[in-house]
C-alpha cells in the first residue's frame, strides 16, 4: 500500500510541476501566435491539472501514512478546490477569454480525462 501511495504522490507532483511550468511559459512553443490561454500538455486533457496533481499527491500521502485523517483532509481539499474552480476561476476565465474559453470548457473535462479521448490540438 505504501509503495502505491509513493507512486501516486510522484505522479501527482509530476503533473502539478508540468502544469506549473506551462503556466510560467516553459515548455510551450515560442514560434507562431501564442494562444490566449494555455492549451498544451496536460491542459489538453483536463482543465485543472495543477490542482488535480496536488490533490492526487495529497491522496497518495494518505495512502503512505495509512491515515483516514489525511484522506479526509484530501477529500475536503478536493471539495474546496472544486467549489473555487466552479464559482471563482471559471467565471473569471470565461469573462476574460470569451468564446475561446467556452469552447475549451465544452471540449475538455474539469478534473478527469475522458477515457479513450483523442488529442485535439484545434483548441490552441
Amino acid at each position: 500500500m505504501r509503495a502505491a501511495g509513493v507512486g501516486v504522490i510522484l505522479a501527482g507532483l509530476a503533473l502539478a510541476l508540468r502544469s506549473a511550468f506551462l503556466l510560467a511559459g516553459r515548455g510551450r512553443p515560442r514560434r507562431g501566435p501564442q494562444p490566449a490561454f494555455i492549451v498544451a500538455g496536460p491542459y489538453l486533457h483536463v482543465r485543472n491539472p495543477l490542482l488535480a496533481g496536488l490533490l492526487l499527491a495529497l491522496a497518495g500521502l494518505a495512502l503512505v501514512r495509512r491515515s483516514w485523517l489525511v484522506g479526509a483532509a484530501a477529500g475536503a481539499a478536493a471539495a474546496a478546490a472544486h467549489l473555487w474552480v466552479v464559482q471563482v476561476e471559471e467565471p473569471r476565465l470565461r469573462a476574460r477569454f470569451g468564446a475561446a474559453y467556452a469552447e475549451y470548457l465544452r471540449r475538455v473535462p474539469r478534473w478527469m480525462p475522458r477515457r479513450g479521448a483523442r488529442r485535439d490540438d484545434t483548441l490552441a
Side-chain angles (χ1 to χ4, degrees), residues 69-80:
L69 185 59
V70 176

Side-chain angles (χ1 to χ4, degrees), residues 5 15 22 38 53 58 70 78 83 102 113 116:
L15 177 60
L22 283 169
I38 296 164
L58 188 55
V70 176
L83 287 173

Side-chain angles (χ1 to χ4, degrees), residues 14-115:
L15 177 60
L17 285 172
R18 172 70 171 126
S19 303
F21 284 143
L22 283 169
L23 286 175
R26 297 186 180 125
R28 286 189 277 163
R30 298 208 187 274
R31 290 188 228 164
Q34 294 297 312
F37 57 93
I38 296 164
V39 185
Y43 292 93
L44 287 167
H45 306 286
V46 291
R47 296 193 305 251
N48 300 289
L50 180 59
L51 283 172
L54 293 174
L55 293 169
L56 192 61
L58 188 55
L61 181 62
L63 290 174
V64 167
R65 305 259 335 229
R66 296 181 182 172
S67 169
W68 289 103
L69 185 59
V70 176
H82 180 76
L83 287 173
W84 181 78
V85 164
V86 170
Q87 294 180 355
V88 177
E89 183 179 45
E90 287 180 354
R92 284 182 184 167
L93 293 172
R94 193 177 292 120
R96 181 175 175 190
F97 297 117
Y101 190 70
E103 178 65 12
Y104 181 67
L105 290 176
R106 188 182 73 74
R107 288 184 174 213
V108 179
R110 186 178 285 129
W111 296 110
M112 297 290 292
R114 290 188 183 102
R115 187 164 171 86

